Amino acid sequence: MTAPDTPGTAAAENVNAAVWHTYGAHHLDRATPLPEVDEIAWGPAGTGPGDAVLGDLTGLRVLDLGCGPGRHAAHLARARHAAVDAVDLSPTQIERARVRYDGLPGLRLIQADAVAHLRASAPYDVIYSLSAVHFVDPHRLLPALAVALRPGGRLYFTVLHTNSAGHGPSSEVKPRPENLRLAGGGDLTVHMWVLTPELWTDLLAQYGLRAEEVTVLDASEAGNHASYRLFQVRRPVRITSRPRTAQPPVAHAAAGVGAVLAGPRGLLLGRHRRGTLELPGGTVEPGEPLEETVVRELAEETGLRADPADVRLLGMLLDQVGDVVRITFGALVTRWSGEPADQPGERVGDWGWWPLDGLPPGLFECSAQILTAWRPDLPIDHPPAHFTSFADPRESGQDVHGRMGK
């Protein structure tokens, strides 16, 4: 149950958007002077490792997420010879940045929602964010961050751990009110996801990102309890998968199908409400031919229409979760019509086409197994499953092995 003074996710983000617009307008009206920076200031009063933690940025695509007035992005474009996109949701914050840095070589200033930009952009080599990640619901932001990083790409971000009054982090993924002080007096109330480092690490892993180091950044002033955490994160080179539930299926759902639809626009994947990305598919109804199951589930989940004659069964996956044996039939749909769209009452939506050389992390384990059975060259890690091929009798009985990234 959400506390009465704590808004839901969308409401919290809307409050934050309005506050940062007001904050930027306040400083535009005051013409607040801001000194140039000569290195990244990660924590309170410039604490932290500076630029060195970012490594060599020469020629890399870099994103400053929640750039505010753009000082750090401008510094990296000038001093580190990086191509920097600086993104902020607030029109007034971006206006402050443009007044000062418009036309600076290597810097592009963009007013946009963070998640919308991440989903639409080409992959970045490095993404960093200075005290902005905690203003967006992690379940909305982290999957978009994972996709926007190229495999092997690096993510650096700071988040609040303990506020100046000593209020520490939460082990629940929900926002809480915090004060934002204005120059010249006055406060604005924002809503932030202030989470334990362990919870941030688990959330990152859930969406296919690996936290490699967490640095404590404490305020140096006596009596100021403010403390931040700097996360150094990497997207693994290989694509990760997420496990099935250990709960046994209901009696009629012991067998399922997963459908591969691949064409000029890429591979069709949707996002389950639990966060995994997966192929369209579902359970086989009693007495239903497998090809008809594929066609029915495709229509129910995506609205796409296909004919059973255009479904080629690839084979059967047999694996075990706990004491439960799972059977899934992989299928290739060679022809379909329509455009994929979210369907009422379905648990999977947000359908989209993904290039085979840019598949996202966090694939559903079963979908990952089907994809490597279809294309063994795809760099996807998953637990092993026994695959019996229907497409070529000579290949029957082969093992589909998950691959461990190095």
Side-chain angles (χ1 to χ4, degrees), residues 235-293:
R235 175 179 172 179
V237 173
R238 298 186 62 82
I239 299 163
T240 58
S241 64
R242 292 177 59 192
R244 300 171 179 262
T245 175
Q247 296 179 343
V250 295
H252 78 280
V257 298
V260 176
L261 279 71
R265 290 189 290 173
L267 174 76
L268 183 63
L269 293 171
R271 188 174 297 280
H272 194 281
R273 63 188 180 192
R274 291 194 299 266
T276 51
L277 284 156
E278 52 193 76
L279 300 169
T283 59
V284 181
E285 296 293 340
E288 186 177 44
L290 296 174
E291 293 87 350
E292 292 183 11
T293 300

